[in-house]
Amino acid sequence: MTARILVVDDDPAVAEMTGIVLRGDGFDPVFCDHGDQAVQAYRDSNPDVILLDLMLPGRSGIDICREIRAESGVPIIMLTAKSDTVDVVLGLESGADDYIPKPFKPRELIARVRARLRRNDNAVPATVRIGDLEIDVTGHRVTRDGAVIPLTPLEFDVLVTLARAPGQVFTREVLLEDVWGYRHAADTRLVNVHIQRLRAKIEQDPEHPEIIQTVRGVGYKAGAHQS
């Protein structure tokens, strides 16, 4: 089945180029050029991935991302002409999975999209317990005492990557490669912000995490493991 990609960008040249690149790689792009119409465009098109510009007429990409994320875990990649730390982190904290600065190379864009479409197919047990969490790997579900904890697909992948190797320390660079699909140096803020988002959902006390622990100067590891 052809993956549908919603492109939300008000720059006609960028939208046209993005459409050519996506179609050339077998994707089905749909377009929206105004922030006020983006959420409805998402609901109407039911895309597999959203490419969302940060700066739009009407509602901002950050506001749009927050609203979509409140009702869906659809992968969202921010498109931004800015590389300022505040803008990037705000976009990630609003629920984006990844970001790509403009101007971007066509193959880099396709690689990011394919990485978000790719499921984590590594062999893991069907169910993993970490701390007081039960992770249904094949069902993509996390529960605590029977109550479901809603995670985005990418947050789920981060958790499973850590939980399948309890006690193993993962550097931010390794997590970027395992979860985001990077094969080169990239922005480790992606990892830091997603760990913060994940902790806010799964930790009893996010300020004193027990499930995802920081190894200062190195990276992160999963805490107490139960088989």
Side-chain angles (χ1 to χ4, degrees), residues 1-143:
M1 182 180 295
T2 301
R4 179 170 295 159
I5 315 298
L6 172 60
V7 181
V8 184
D9 197 306
D10 65 317
D11 186 328
V14 171
E16 181 180 11
M17 184 273 288
T18 303
I20 291 170
V21 171
L22 291 172
R23 290 189 191 95
D25 227 74
F27 296 114
D28 174 25
V30 293
F31 301 91
C32 174
D33 62 3
H34 201 286
D36 292 342
Q37 301 163 5
V39 174
Q40 191 58 50
Y42 151 72
R43 291 170 179 158
D44 291 343
S45 61
N46 190 28
D48 298 287
V49 174
I50 299 174
L51 299 176
L52 178 61
D53 192 14
L54 194 65
M55 304 297 291
L56 293 162
R59 300 184 66 189
S60 73
I62 289 172
D63 288 342
I64 294 162
C65 188
R66 286 197 185 105
E67 183 169 348
I68 292 175
R69 185 57 75 229
E71 61 185 75
S72 171
V74 62
I76 299 174
I77 302 173
M78 284 280 191
L79 305 177
T80 175
K82 298 184 177 181
S83 58
D84 182 76
T85 297
V86 173
D87 293 306
V88 170
V89 172
L90 278 176
L92 295 172
E93 288 180 341
S94 70
D97 298 299
D98 199 352
Y99 79 96
I100 181 169
K102 300 176 185 177
F104 45 80
K105 297 178 180 178
R107 299 315 307 171
E108 183 179 8
L109 176 66
I110 293 299
R112 302 285 185 92
V113 170
R114 289 202 177 281
R116 296 281 51 81
L117 288 168
R118 188 177 60 245
R119 289 280 187 176
N120 189 339
D121 292 328
N122 294 321
V124 295
T127 301
V128 176
R129 290 192 64 86
I130 193 80
D132 59 352
L133 298 181
E134 181 171 301
I135 306 170
D136 177 357
V137 178
T138 54
H140 274 243
R141 201 169 77 132
V142 178
T143 56

